[in-house]
Amino acid sequence: MMNVHHGDTEARRKLGQISALLLTNIGQLLTLHSDREGPRRGASLSELGIIEDAAVLCLGGKIVSVGKTKDALRDPWLKKNRKKITEIDCRGRVVLPGFVDSHTHPVFAHPRLTDFEKRIAGASYEEIAEAGGGIRASIEGVRNSGKAALTEKVLTRLRAMAAHGTTTVEAKSGYGLSFESEVKSLEAIRGAARRWAGTVVPTFLGAHTVPSEFRGRPQEYVDMICSEMMPAVAKRKLAAFADVFCDRGAFSAEEAEQIFEAAAANGLALRAHMGQLGETRLEPFLRHRPASLDHMDYVNDADLAALSRSETITTFVPGANYFLGLTRYPAARTLIEAGAAVALATDYNPGSSPTLNMQMAMSLACTHMKMAPAEAIAAATINGAWALRLADRKGSIEPGKDADVAMFDVKDYREIAYWFGGNRCVLTVLNGVVSGKEPG
Ligand code: NIG
Ligand code: FE
């Protein structure tokens, strides 16, 4: 089994603290059920499996039944046990699977406000990085932070994510970039995950950039990642995935392949930052069967067919395009129409995307990438689950899956992407644990 952190839910389940939960009077329940196998592609990306006037019953942190409210209330077992069940009247609101945010960088100490001002004054992301800003500007903060302080920061961020409807989070290291500080970052993720009811998928991103002490000697840093950091991270079960930032100014395709090979040799699954600043040919990477390639602002037409045939998810992170002030966004329509399986994530980080709000990522995908609201929902839930190889447990509301749901104070699911910049989520259920204000 992958090194996925299921938080405090196992302990709570043993203590019997995860109660039976019944959600009734759901105006639109987006089950995301589909009869098709595999991640959603093409037309199936907009199939939401909507049930109106719906109810969901959860027991022991799992979904046990899904249907119409009137049928649920007639059920003999439910009638007999109703007193033991926590019941939430959703009063016509919209309920969907908790968002799966499959790309975040939550282990950092400070916002990068100088970079922000420089960009406003006209400098590009790459110019800022070359002048000493960028990822390197976040390293000192992490190296100088204690593990407990970092853990608290990550936990605060996970809680804020849950308040915005996210129940599963992929969390990367990548601002420590030394053996000690990468391990510390991954331990902070694990420590925070243990105190959070949702599910956290940890990713080792030692290959985020070359730290200053290795400047001009990238191969030596890559060798250290592969021969020292990766084996230690795997042995301590600190990560499920390894990631690499393969782009201009970061790691070359050759270096990224070395990272992929070492990760696979150490039993870590693969994902990568690709095509954010410039184009990298994807074919050699697809052979390694990465779970996901992320950003993908630049994709060569010649790679489209291979990408579409593959199980690899293309994860768009339009928060980064927005925050870097780019006019160009990923070509979502081209990829969807070619048959690629696409997901949406926040890329929450202090340099290029300081938002943890999946509703905002959906709004950007709709307005700037011409994804339909229904496509954005599927990309933010079930296809995010595929991007983390957790689709057997996450991303849809179906009997047997984890009880991860989010309720929004809207009548129509399209409003979630429409009311941009705010938070319409009023309640989340994370592995059966209710969080947030109960709607009045
Ligand atoms: O996904 N592209 C690389 N990593 C981040 C940016 C990290 C940073 O600037 O701190 C991203 O956009
Ligand atoms: Fe990122």
Side-chain angles (χ1 to χ4, degrees), residues 103 105 112 115 125 134-136 138 172 175 205 208 245 247 250 273 276-277 295 317 320 324 347 349-353:
H103 182 145
H105 306 246
R112 294 221 298 271
D115 289 12
Y125 183 74
I135 296 165
R136 287 188 195 93
S138 287
K172 305 175 197 292
Y175 292 114
L205 179 55
H208 203 182
F245 182 15
D247 224 314
H273 286 69
Q276 179 183 12
L277 308 168
H295 285 275
V317 290
L324 298 183
D347 193 12
N349 78 74
S352 69
S353 188

Side-chain angles (χ1 to χ4, degrees), residues 99-321:
F99 293 129
V100 178
D101 192 348
S102 60
H103 182 145
T104 85
H105 306 246
V107 197
F108 62 89
H110 311 295
R112 294 221 298 271
L113 302 175
T114 312
D115 289 12
F116 184 43
E117 284 187 328
K118 280 188 178 169
R119 203 161 38 249
I120 292 164
S124 71
Y125 183 74
E126 287 173 275
E127 285 162 354
I128 292 167
E130 277 156 25
I135 296 165
R136 287 188 195 93
S138 287
I139 297 177
E140 206 184 302
V142 167
R143 289 189 182 170
N144 291 339
S145 295
K147 187 162 69 185
L150 280 180
T151 305
E152 290 305 322
K153 286 210 158 81
V154 175
L155 181 58
T156 303
R157 292 163 184 163
L158 291 174
R159 286 179 176 149
M161 289 173 183
H164 287 79
T166 299
T167 54
T168 298
V169 178
E170 184 261 12
K172 305 175 197 292
S173 65
Y175 292 114
L177 306 188
S178 66
F179 183 98
E180 193 202 347
S181 290
E182 282 297 297
V183 166
K184 178 172 70 182
S185 298
L186 290 167
E187 286 176 346
I189 292 170
R190 182 161 68 189
R194 283 187 177 143
R195 292 161 60 195
W196 189 60
T199 299
V200 178
V201 178
T203 294
F204 169 58
L205 179 55
H208 203 182
T209 195
V210 179
S212 311
E213 62 273 22
F214 282 91
R215 186 158 262 177
R217 300 178 290 127
Q219 186 59 50
E220 281 177 42
Y221 184 59
V222 171
D223 290 344
M224 185 178 94
I225 293 175
C226 296
S227 62
E228 292 175 37
M229 295 162 104
M230 205 94 81
V233 164
K235 183 155 176 264
R236 299 180 202 189
K237 300 193 185 310
L238 282 169
F241 286 93
D243 192 343
V244 49
F245 182 15
C246 176
D247 224 314
R248 272 200 320 249
F251 293 91
S252 67
E254 292 71 30
E255 290 160 347
E257 274 210 78
Q258 291 171 42
I259 300 286
F260 265 25
E261 274 157 22
N266 283 287
L268 296 173
L270 310 173
R271 51 199 323 106
H273 286 69
M274 279 284 167
Q276 179 183 12
L277 308 168
E279 190 182 286
T280 302
R281 288 304 304 271
L282 304 178
E283 286 256 27
F285 291 96
L286 291 172
R287 274 190 251 122
H288 294 269
R289 299 175 174 272
S292 181
L293 297 177
D294 300 24
H295 285 275
M296 303 281 266
D297 297 62
Y298 296 87
V299 177
N300 191 302
D301 285 346
D303 284 322
L304 271 182
L307 189 62
S308 305
R309 273 195 310 272
S310 77
E311 289 285 299
T312 298
I313 307 292
T314 297
T315 301
F316 299 130
V317 290
N321 301 68

Side-chain angles (χ1 to χ4, degrees), residues 12 63 68 81 85 131 197 260 320 326 343 347 373 381 409 415 423:
R12 286 199 195 203
I63 293 161
K68 290 276 189 190
N81 291 283
I85 297 173
F260 265 25
L326 307 180
D347 193 12
T381 55
D409 192 15
E415 292 179 69
N423 181 20

